[in-house]
Amino acid sequence: MERMSVEARPGWRRKVEELGFLFHSLDNEPYWDETAYYFFFPEEIERIERATNDLFGLCMDAVEHVVRHNRIAEMGIPAGMV
């Protein structure tokens, strides 16, 4: 992965607000950084995708366990949401 420096896009605040991202600044200082992006090499993307798929699988296993063993209330899930 490489961090790449770039100039901020003209009108970026307006553009992100149009997308619904209103939390782009704190005390008039940008929270969203428009002056950099990250370049990932294909092997890194594949590694991230594998880790993401593994994590998703673990989450699904956890959900199945909670449902099969009736531990929904322990998870703080309201009955109406089940």
Side-chain angles (χ1 to χ4, degrees), residues 9 11-24 32 34:
R9 295 176 291 176
W12 70 268
R13 283 183 172 91
R14 179 184 48 75
K15 289 177 183 176
V16 298
E17 287 173 358
E18 288 172 359
L19 296 172
F21 182 47
L22 307 176
F23 191 71
H24 55 67
W32 177 263
E34 275 282 316

Side-chain angles (χ1 to χ4, degrees), residues 4-73:
M4 312 298 282
S5 295
V6 294
E7 289 196 30
R9 295 176 291 176
W12 70 268
R13 283 183 172 91
R14 179 184 48 75
K15 289 177 183 176
V16 298
E17 287 173 358
E18 288 172 359
L19 296 172
F21 182 47
L22 307 176
F23 191 71
H24 55 67
S25 300
L26 294 171
D27 299 325
N28 286 334
E29 292 295 319
Y31 167 79
W32 177 263
D33 186 1
E34 275 282 316
T35 63
Y37 70 91
Y38 292 90
F39 175 85
F40 290 86
F41 295 94
E43 308 81 40
E44 293 169 316
I45 296 295
E46 290 169 7
R47 187 174 177 192
I48 291 169
E49 287 176 345
R50 279 193 306 274
T52 301
N53 289 333
D54 290 348
L55 182 57
F56 180 76
L58 291 170
C59 289
M60 294 298 100
D61 291 347
V63 170
E64 182 177 358
H65 177 85
V66 167
V67 172
R68 283 187 187 274
H69 294 90
N70 198 25
R71 300 183 73 180
I72 295 166

